[in-house]
């Protein structure tokens, strides 16, 4: 098997977990968790080839943020929509905060336009052949027109698919979420706000229940697995480096595009 595990700054990112404060990750079966895509359909295709060559048959969970910032949001959604969590292997696509912002714009265009546009919505609109005037973000008629144009371009099937994205996925003692979680609360009762936007103590306070959290949302230069957190968002839309964590019992390694 050709080895394509990532090398960053000359160091291979593959190691047994030695964090004695946490039990080792113990998924029910090996799986891959893929970080934020943000409109990089090209990187998704590149990573898919690497997975086919080296991890064929492994379940995959995408950690959200498929749209905005990159130029090919529409293409990414069209590539992901046919995939199924009930297939073999299963593919699960979680919701990210950028999907939530897109849906907020569709549901409440005037109230939600500015936040979405300031966070990469322009690129998503462009991928559907649309544009928006920045000096009219407070114009209710203009925002409603843009919203209707976007809804027509996306179609009900795509909008419904986004609405039904789960917020979390579990395998053994590992939970996959988009952004993070409140360390002191059981994963089963986490607020959607924490799962989509993170929690201020997530990166600084360790969980006490032995659960590992694999997540995107927060860009890191080098992906890592330590103290119960597995971070895989390497800013693909800007860096060209899309990261997947390959998680097996007791071990986490990283697969990347544009690295090594």
């Amino acid at each position: 098997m050709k080895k394509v595990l990532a090398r960053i700054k000359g160091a291979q990112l593959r190691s047994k977990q030695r964090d004695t404060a946490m039990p080792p990750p113990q998924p029910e079966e090996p799986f891959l968790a893929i970080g934020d895509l943000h409109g990089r359909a090209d990187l998704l295709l590149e990573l898919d080839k690497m997975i086919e060559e080296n991890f064929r048959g492994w379940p995959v969970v995408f950690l959200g943020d498929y749209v905005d910032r990159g130029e090919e949001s529409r293409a990414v959604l069209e590539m992901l929509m046919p995939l199924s969590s009930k297939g073999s292997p299963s593919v699960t696509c979680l919701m990210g905060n950028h999907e939530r912002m897109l849906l907020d714009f569709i549901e409440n265009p005037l109230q939600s336009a500015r936040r979405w546009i300031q966070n990469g919505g322009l690129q998503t609109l462009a991928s559907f052949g649309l544009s928006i005037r920045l000096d009219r973000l407070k114009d209710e008629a203009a925002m409603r027109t843009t919203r209707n144009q976007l809804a027509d371009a996306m179609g009900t099937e795509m909008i419904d698919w986004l609405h039904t994205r789960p917020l979390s996925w579990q395998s053994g003692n590992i939970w996959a979420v988009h952004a993070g979680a409140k360390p002191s609360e059981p994963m089963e009762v986490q607020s959607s706000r924490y799962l989509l936007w993170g929690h201020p103590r997530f990166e600084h306070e360790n969980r006490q229940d032995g659960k590992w959290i694999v997540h995107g949302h927060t860009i890191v230069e080098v992906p890592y697995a330590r103290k119960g957190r597995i971070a895989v968002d390497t800013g693909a839309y800007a860096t060209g480096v899309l990261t997947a964590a390959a998680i097996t019992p007791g071990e986490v390694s990283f697969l990347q595009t544009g690295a090594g």
Side-chain angles (χ1 to χ4, degrees):
M1 179 183 292
K2 179 183 177 183
K3 187 175 291 186
V4 292
L5 296 175
R7 293 178 182 272
I8 292 181
K9 296 182 179 179
Q12 192 175 48
L13 295 173
R14 182 180 177 90
S15 63
K16 295 283 186 180
Q17 294 302 316
R18 297 184 177 86
D19 186 353
T20 58
M22 283 288 296
Q26 291 291 341
E28 295 171 10
E29 60 178 323
F31 73 93
L32 292 160
I34 299 176
D36 304 25
L37 286 161
H38 280 303
R40 290 300 301 265
D42 57 331
L43 299 182
L44 177 55
L45 288 172
E46 183 180 342
L47 187 67
D48 181 64
K49 291 179 181 178
M50 298 164 73
I51 291 172
E52 279 295 302
E53 291 176 2
N54 298 273
F55 301 94
R56 179 178 293 182
W58 284 36
V60 174
V61 56
F62 288 89
L63 300 175
D65 279 8
Y66 315 119
V67 301
D68 300 344
R69 295 180 173 157
E71 303 299 324
E72 299 176 309
S73 293
R74 179 175 189 164
V76 168
L77 293 176
E78 290 174 345
M79 291 167 66
L80 294 179
M81 283 177 61
L83 305 177
S84 173
S85 60
K86 298 179 181 178
S88 181
S90 68
V91 178
T92 302
C93 298
L94 302 183
M95 181 181 289
N97 64 307
H98 283 259
E99 285 74 58
R100 185 65 262 169
M101 284 190 285
L102 169 56
L103 292 172
D104 288 345
F105 175 74
I106 291 174
E107 295 164 9
N108 298 288
L110 184 63
Q111 293 87 344
S112 304
R114 183 172 298 279
R115 181 172 69 165
W116 182 49
I117 294 302
Q118 289 177 340
N119 284 280
L122 282 175
Q123 287 83 357
T124 296
L125 284 171
S127 76
F128 286 95
L130 302 171
S131 61
I132 196 170
R133 283 181 52 176
L134 299 181
D135 61 349
R136 300 189 69 182
L137 294 181
K138 294 185 178 180
D139 184 326
E140 183 172 3
M143 292 305 97
R144 191 163 297 280
T145 296
T146 301
R147 176 267 178 209
N148 291 341
Q149 293 172 338
L150 178 59
D152 288 343
M154 293 178 67
T156 56
E157 184 179 1
M158 182 176 287
I159 294 172
D160 290 345
W161 184 84
L162 288 173
H163 271 294
T164 57
R165 293 308 85 212
L167 298 180
S168 64
W169 179 88
Q170 181 187 13
S171 179
N173 69 342
I174 303 171
W175 284 75
V177 304
H178 173 61
K182 186 175 181 178
S184 60
E185 285 188 352
M187 291 303 298
E188 292 82 359
V189 297
Q190 292 283 327
S191 162
S192 61
R193 177 174 179 79
Y194 300 152
L195 299 178
L196 288 173
W197 296 91
H199 188 276
R201 297 202 299 274
F202 173 66
E203 295 182 32
H204 311 290
E205 181 179 322
N206 298 336
R207 299 189 65 83
Q208 302 300 312
D209 58 5
K211 299 294 191 296
W212 283 77
I213 311 297
V214 57
H215 66 95
H217 187 67
T218 301
I219 295 176
V220 294
E221 181 179 359
V222 178
Y224 64 80
R226 60 176 180 265
K227 297 183 178 180
R229 291 176 286 272
I230 304 170
V232 296
D233 180 7
T234 45
Y237 72 95
T239 65
V241 179
L242 176 64
T243 298
I247 304 174
T248 62
E251 188 173 354
V252 179
S253 55
F254 297 98
L255 177 69
Q256 295 186 304
T257 65

